[in-house]
Amino acid sequence: LHQLASMAQRSVELDTVACNSAISACEKGGEWSKALRLLAVMVQSDLELDTITFSAGISACEKSDKWEKALQLFDVMVHSKVEMNAIPFGAVISACGKNSEWKNALQLLSAMPRNRLKPGTVTFNAAVSACEKGS
């Protein structure tokens, strides 16, 4: 984050790749709120938000047990018509699963084939885990 701030101070133009890297670093460091702030900066700066941007933001929320934020960000992704793949689906299903939100997890799992996506083992396991915790 300090690197991005210094880039902005030196009038170096921010780009999607640099911001995605910073959001991924926030994910790894458990800094979900900083990841979401970076997403907001990207929107304010008219930078393109891509699948990597959303996946990293959703994963940051998932790793910090912020399932509601993960779900909200996933909804933003769906409505922004960014190309969808299994990674954000898996992250948001996992976020729901960790918090016993089995109904949301199963709804998301059932939406994958409608989006021409095939759930993998990790995604199925996250959904099953949600059901176990929710019962």
Side-chain angles (χ1 to χ4, degrees):
L1 295 179
H2 296 293
Q3 290 288 46
L4 286 178
S6 71
M7 286 174 67
Q9 289 173 350
R10 290 180 287 159
S11 298
V12 175
E13 194 170 320
L14 294 177
D15 65 6
T16 300
V17 173
C19 289
N20 286 351
S21 296
I23 293 168
S24 291
C26 290
E27 170 201 348
K28 288 170 182 49
E31 298 286 348
W32 68 272
S33 62
K34 289 181 182 176
L36 295 184
R37 276 185 274 178
L38 279 168
L39 278 159
V41 166
M42 289 179 74
V43 170
Q44 292 167 354
S45 302
D46 288 327
L47 294 175
E48 177 188 3
L49 278 66
D50 59 15
T51 306
I52 295 168
T53 309
F54 283 104
S55 295
I58 291 166
S59 291
C61 294
E62 178 258 332
K63 287 189 171 63
S64 297
D65 291 329
K66 300 294 180 188
W67 72 270
E68 292 164 313
K69 297 287 185 190
L71 197 55
Q72 289 170 357
L73 190 52
F74 183 83
D75 286 341
V76 171
M77 181 181 186
V78 168
H79 289 94
S80 66
K81 305 211 187 313
V82 170
E83 184 180 335
M84 193 63 75
N85 66 32
I87 294 170
F89 267 100
V92 77
I93 289 169
S94 180
C96 290
K98 287 180 178 179
N99 292 280
S100 305
E101 291 295 321
W102 63 273
K103 288 182 183 177
N104 286 321
L106 292 181
Q107 285 176 342
L108 289 159
L109 184 67
S110 69
M112 290 185 76
R114 288 194 302 269
N115 286 280
R116 297 186 186 106
L117 298 171
K118 187 176 182 180
T121 304
V122 173
T123 305
F124 276 120
N125 286 343
V128 168
S129 176
C131 293
E132 287 175 341
K133 291 177 183 173
S135 58

